[in-house]
Amino acid sequence: MGSNSSRIGDLPKNEYLKKLSGTESVSENDPFWNQLLSFSFPAPTSSTELKLLEEATISVCRSLVENNPRTGNLGALIKVFLSRTKELKLSAECQNHIFIWQTHNALFIICCLLKVFISEMSEEELQLHFTYEEKSPGSYSSDSEDLLEELLCCLMQLITDIPLLDITYEISVEAISTMVVFLSYQLFHKEVLRQSISHKYLMRGPCLPYTSKLVKTLLYNFIRQEKPPPPGAHVFPQQSDGGGLLYGLASGVANSSPFPSSIPHTFQINFNSLYTALCEQQTSDQATLLLYTLLHQNSNIRTYMLARTDMENLVLPILEILYHVEERNSHHVYMALIILLILTEDDGFNRSIHEVILKNITWYSERVLTEISLGSLLILVVIRTIQYNMTRTRDKYLHTNCLAALANMSAQFRSLHQYAAQRIISLFSLLSKKHNKVLEQATQSLRGSLSSNDVPLPDYAQDLNVIEEVIRMMLEIINSCLTNSLHHNPNLVYALLYKRDLFEQFRTHPSFQDIMQNIDLVITFFSSRLLQAGAELSVERVLEIIKQGVVALPKDRLKKFPELKFKYVEEEQPEEFFIPYVWSLVYNSAVGLYWNPQDIQLFTMDSD
């Protein structure tokens, strides 16, 4: 770019970039590289600036794509960068600002170029561009060094081994950013990529010894949340002292001494620090994605978290994400919901959340909750999510996971808050009305089909089937609570009795007749006791009668059903493809970017 380049608008006309992307080959020993890399261009500090940079350089990048097979200039630039990184650690120790500055600039240009290359060509084509040399047009050397593998290994070494100083902060961030770009091929393919050249290099050969150090370093970046150095500490001018797109989470390189173990990809990390950071960062969808990955793929992390006595610090931020569903993107909501589903797979968690008493939940605005258990609050938020989904998004996937979480908890419902019990029955009431409406529409549709054969009619049978599946699930949840913890939930019995007319139409329905037996028995039993107690009973008196009746109700009269247990299952892939996906996730979590997870696995981690 040269020493005169300092604005985005100047880039398309920049003479050095034109030479790099032009038809003339530039040797890796040419003084041109010192001129190209001596620019004071501020890194983008917002997504808007990043987009402007990409728009300004797209013509240069595409010109290089066209001419590189004849010039080999991409390979020459990478060789210049690689030769400089060999002395980078010494330069950091000696405070060689100019050398580090130019090395950073080389990596910055490489990263910008790779974004375009990766978005516009296959990985096989990209690999060819790394092998082109200054020969006849389109020729390349098959026995030359593998620059792609060498560059990936170099990036891993930069991330894990270069000490984090003010003067190395920028290049550490750029190394993480470039690694993310390398792993972004999946973003341009709907199907899961099963044969990735970059992933192959990362999993074997010279890169393999750095795998566990890399993930450990990135996790500690996330834990430490270190801020960028002040503007005066940068080796080139900086227009903003804020974080920016790539400066939020990608900071702080950990001391990465390998943990000696016979198990590959094993390292120690402070679980307490990681847990604290995860609790504090859940407003970010990247942090929620990282939490999901750790819980789902690492049994040590999951066991540690479930054993914590302060689970409310983790669960409350997740519930707040779901509560503000209108303000969150769908990926964030799904991840939060799946996290709850994974947690509710554990019976210990389902019991303990009802023992944690919370006071004054300020973000819950439907009703003042001066005191409520974490379990009751979780039920309220999940039910609210279901109701939101019924009226807005109508996403069956969201419905299924919400109901699965409630079902997992139902046998351990304890001392449900009055409002939580009311909302359970209110949700059933809403479903009942929906069922009646769809049933009426189906009936009218059937009558219409008898009178007219020409007009296409909506298929209400499928809608009816879906709503009946949801209603049955709700009945199973209520039944599970009554069967397993009736004596712990007088408020649910109260709400059930108050709205007992709702259940009348389902007593003889063939889809619900079996599951209605216990519910009908409880309603009949307690209704009889209330009738004996007289009319105009106060709420307190009704609850007292219910508590007394629970003792008198013969437990053997309640029919036992199989325990409700739903487990989150992700489609499995061959083991050789697991590690790259988690790298993508951790990188994106580290630098504040988003990755949609598919088929992932994490390294083994132990608490230190």
Side-chain angles (χ1 to χ4, degrees):
M1 292 184 186
S3 58
N4 295 326
S5 289
S6 59
R7 295 188 302 125
I8 289 179
D10 298 333
L11 297 181
K13 300 174 291 185
N14 184 274
E15 58 179 297
Y16 297 100
L17 290 178
K18 285 184 176 181
K19 184 172 182 179
L20 171 67
S21 61
T23 58
E24 177 186 349
S25 295
V26 183
S27 167
E28 59 190 278
N29 299 315
D30 196 296
F32 161 79
W33 299 109
N34 284 331
Q35 298 169 328
L36 172 70
L37 302 179
S38 298
F39 62 86
S40 299
F41 185 82
T45 58
S46 68
S47 57
T48 301
E49 290 182 6
L50 189 64
K51 185 176 181 181
L52 290 174
L53 174 63
E54 292 172 352
E55 292 174 349
T57 56
I58 188 67
S59 60
V60 172
C61 295
R62 286 176 175 166
S63 178
L64 182 62
V65 170
E66 180 181 350
N67 295 320
N68 186 62
R70 293 182 292 275
T71 66
N73 284 347
L74 176 64
L77 171 61
I78 291 171
K79 289 177 182 178
V80 169
F81 168 72
L82 292 174
S83 67
R84 288 172 176 268
T85 57
K86 295 174 182 177
E87 303 176 35
L88 191 59
K89 193 168 185 179
L90 179 61
S91 299
E93 294 171 355
C94 298
Q95 298 284 304
N96 189 336
H97 290 235
I98 300 299
F99 189 89
I100 297 173
W101 168 43
Q102 291 188 338
T103 307
H104 164 272
N105 287 349
L107 184 55
F108 179 77
I109 294 174
I110 290 170
C111 186
C112 292
L113 293 172
L114 284 175
K115 286 181 182 179
V116 176
F117 275 64
I118 286 174
S119 66
E120 298 194 353
M121 65 181 66
S122 68
E123 229 178 349
E124 290 73 21
E125 291 176 284
L126 176 66
Q127 188 178 34
L128 281 178
H129 275 277
F130 272 75
T131 60
Y132 290 133
E133 296 179 350
E134 183 186 358
K135 292 185 179 180
S136 57
S139 66
Y140 60 93
S141 174
S142 59
D143 59 351
S144 64
E145 69 273 39
D146 195 328
L147 280 184
L148 177 56
E149 182 176 38
E150 193 173 348
L151 178 58
L152 285 168
C153 289
C154 177
L155 293 174
M156 294 177 75
Q157 291 171 338
L158 280 178
I159 295 169
T160 58
D161 292 349
I162 298 299
L164 186 66
L165 308 172
D166 283 352
I167 61 172
T168 61
Y169 184 91
E170 304 286 358
I171 196 169
S172 297
V173 171
E174 204 62 48
I176 295 174
S177 177
T178 307
M179 188 67 85
V180 172
V181 171
F182 262 120
L183 293 169
S184 65
Y185 261 107
Q186 182 66 71
L187 295 174
F188 304 98
H189 297 79
K190 292 183 179 180
E191 70 281 0
V192 175
L193 295 180
R194 301 177 184 277
Q195 298 291 339
S196 168
I197 296 172
S198 299
H199 293 166
K200 180 188 70 174
Y201 285 138
L202 290 170
M203 294 191 304
R204 61 190 69 165
C207 294
L208 188 59
Y210 291 92
T211 54
S212 60
K213 290 176 65 177
L214 177 64
V215 176
K216 180 176 180 177
T217 296
L218 292 172
L219 285 173
Y220 269 118
N221 288 353
F222 175 77
I223 289 170
R224 290 172 176 170
Q225 297 287 313
E226 293 185 15
K227 303 298 182 185
H234 290 277
V235 296
F236 44 87
Q238 189 78 357
Q239 293 182 340
S240 170
D241 60 356
L245 181 64
L246 298 179
Y247 291 82
L249 297 178
S251 56
V253 177
N255 182 6
S256 296
S257 56
F259 173 57
S261 172
S262 59
I263 305 175
H265 314 309
T266 299
F267 59 87
Q268 280 189 320
I269 194 169
N270 189 310
F271 279 8
N272 182 63
S273 299
L274 180 59
Y275 178 81
T276 301
L278 287 167
C279 292
E280 293 174 349
Q281 300 297 323
Q282 287 307 307
T283 53
S284 151
D285 57 0
Q286 298 85 23
T288 305
L289 181 59
L290 181 58
L291 172 59
Y292 154 76
T293 307
L294 293 170
L295 277 174
H296 180 47
Q297 295 292 344
N298 193 287
S299 59
N300 292 340
I301 286 279
R302 185 166 60 252
T303 300
Y304 173 83
M305 289 187 176
L306 289 169
R308 295 280 303 202
T309 57
D310 61 346
M311 276 297 290
E312 66 272 17
N313 291 337
L314 186 67
V315 175
L316 281 173
I318 298 299
L319 295 183
E320 195 167 353
I321 293 169
L322 293 176
Y323 186 79
H324 296 294
V325 59
E326 304 94 338
E327 305 168 14
R328 306 292 183 182
N329 64 61
S330 59
H331 302 292
H332 202 179
V333 172
Y334 286 150
M335 288 299 102
L337 188 54
I338 292 171
I339 287 169
L340 287 185
L341 180 56
I342 293 172
L343 293 174
T344 60
E345 293 171 10
D346 183 77
D347 287 340
F349 171 83
N350 295 332
R351 287 190 296 269
S352 65
I353 55 176
H354 293 287
E355 299 169 2
V356 178
I357 304 302
L358 308 170
K359 296 181 183 295
N360 299 319
I361 308 300
T362 55
W363 48 263
Y364 194 95
S365 59
E366 273 86 348
R367 179 165 174 161
V368 176
L369 300 175
T370 55
E371 186 173 288
I372 189 172
S373 71
L374 179 60
S376 290
L377 181 63
L378 195 158
I379 292 168
L380 285 175
V381 173
V382 171
I383 288 176
R384 184 180 185 274
T385 305
I386 294 174
Q387 291 178 326
Y388 173 84
N389 187 51
M390 288 177 65
T391 58
R392 304 286 184 85
T393 56
R394 299 183 181 180
D395 186 333
K396 185 179 179 181
Y397 176 84
L398 201 66
H399 257 20
T400 301
N401 284 282
C402 284
L403 291 169
L406 289 176
N408 285 346
M409 293 187 294
S410 59
Q412 278 82 35
F413 282 173
R414 295 291 188 275
S415 304
L416 289 184
H417 190 278
Q418 177 186 358
Y419 187 51
Q422 290 175 8
R423 299 310 297 164
I424 291 174
I425 305 304
S426 294
L427 175 58
F428 185 81
S429 174
L430 184 64
L431 292 169
S432 176
K433 292 176 182 177
K434 179 71 172 176
H435 178 267
N436 293 339
K437 181 179 179 181
V438 174
L439 187 60
E440 182 181 353
Q441 290 173 333
T443 303
Q444 292 176 352
S445 175
L446 182 61
R447 291 171 181 167
S449 66
L450 297 176
S451 60
S452 174
N453 295 324
D454 300 328
V455 181
L457 298 171
D459 181 14
Y460 291 105
Q462 184 176 358
D463 292 343
L464 195 61
N465 182 60
V466 170
I467 194 68
E468 287 185 353
E469 286 180 3
V470 176
I471 287 176
R472 180 169 179 87
M473 179 72 84
M474 280 302 301
L475 289 173
E476 288 178 341
I477 290 168
I478 295 170
N479 178 74
S480 175
C481 177
L482 297 179
T483 305
N484 295 283
S485 54
L486 177 64
H487 56 294
H488 289 298
N489 293 290
N491 283 330
L492 182 61
V493 177
Y494 183 99
L496 198 65
L497 294 172
Y498 190 77
K499 293 286 187 178
R500 54 185 174 271
D501 293 344
L502 285 174
F503 299 88
E504 187 65 31
Q505 62 177 309
F506 300 105
R507 291 178 61 187
T508 57
H509 194 291
S511 299
F512 314 117
Q513 195 170 13
D514 59 333
I515 204 70
M516 275 297 301
Q517 291 180 27
N518 288 342
I519 298 174
D520 190 42
L521 173 64
V522 169
I523 290 175
T524 303
F525 177 82
F526 285 99
S527 295
S528 174
R529 295 184 72 89
L530 291 177
L531 188 61
Q532 295 172 13
E536 299 184 2
L537 300 174
S538 65
V539 173
E540 292 76 13
R541 178 57 181 150
V542 171
L543 287 172
E544 183 182 347
I545 293 171
I546 290 173
K547 291 175 184 177
Q548 293 170 352
V550 166
V551 179
L553 177 64
K555 301 299 184 293
D556 58 354
R557 293 180 60 187
L558 294 174
K559 181 181 177 181
K560 290 292 184 181
F561 286 85
E563 182 183 10
L564 292 179
K565 228 27 167 176
F566 295 86
K567 187 176 179 64
Y568 174 69
V569 178
E570 192 173 53
E571 181 183 356
E572 294 186 358
Q573 295 294 336
E575 185 176 356
E576 62 196 88
F577 300 109
F578 284 159
I579 293 173
Y581 285 104
V582 83
W583 278 347
S584 300
L585 288 168
V586 178
Y587 291 146
N588 283 280
S589 295
V591 300
L593 301 178
Y594 185 78
W595 183 272
N596 191 22
Q598 292 288 337
D599 316 307
I600 48 183
Q601 176 74 341
L602 194 63
F603 295 84
T604 303
M605 290 190 292
D606 297 307
S607 179
D608 63 5

